Amino acid sequence: MRQSEILIKPIVSEKSNRLTEKKNTYAFRVGRKANKLEIKKAVEEFYNVKVADVHTMVAPRKAKNRMTKAGYIQGSKPAYKKAYVTVAEGETIDLYGTV
């Protein structure tokens, strides 16, 4: 798999920011077929850091309903895979760049 298929985007939320501050762990949305070794290699190459640990999970799809002028619409948000990547002590990933 290519690196662009493995790492889709970083997840920036209150929970992921708390994990970054306390445990030096970053959250990423990754490809469904990517395994832990591929994720570790992609993060190390892209961000130039040493990865200590990788945890993955698949978030299930969610049903979404809404009422519009046209009527009641039912749909769903697709399932996706997340990876929590812990980097080595003393190293950081700059997700925001120079904002």
Side-chain angles (χ1 to χ4, degrees):
M1 293 179 82
R2 292 189 321 230
Q3 188 174 352
S4 61
E5 295 173 346
I6 296 171
L7 290 178
I8 296 173
K9 66 179 181 177
I11 298 173
V12 180
S13 64
E14 289 181 17
K15 180 180 179 179
S16 65
N17 287 338
R18 203 171 335 112
L19 283 172
T20 300
E21 292 170 3
K22 291 184 178 181
K23 298 183 180 181
N24 211 17
T25 301
Y26 298 86
F28 293 94
R29 195 171 198 169
V30 296
R32 291 287 303 267
K33 294 182 180 180
N35 61 32
K36 290 182 181 185
L37 297 175
E38 292 172 337
I39 295 168
K40 179 179 179 178
K41 184 179 175 186
V43 170
E44 286 178 345
E45 287 178 4
F46 192 75
Y47 292 105
N48 296 321
V49 294
K50 177 76 173 124
V51 173
D53 199 14
V54 177
H55 296 282
T56 60
M57 65 170 280
V58 176
R61 73 183 197 110
K62 293 183 181 178
K64 295 289 180 180
N65 305 317
R66 63 183 170 161
M67 192 67 182
T68 64
K69 289 181 180 178
Y72 190 69
I73 298 175
Q74 289 183 320
S76 65
K77 293 179 87 176
Y80 62 94
K81 190 171 191 176
K82 277 199 266 197
Y84 290 103
V85 178
T86 304
V87 297
E89 183 119 7
E91 296 194 23
T92 60
I93 296 175
D94 186 17
L95 296 177
Y96 300 106
T98 55
V99 176

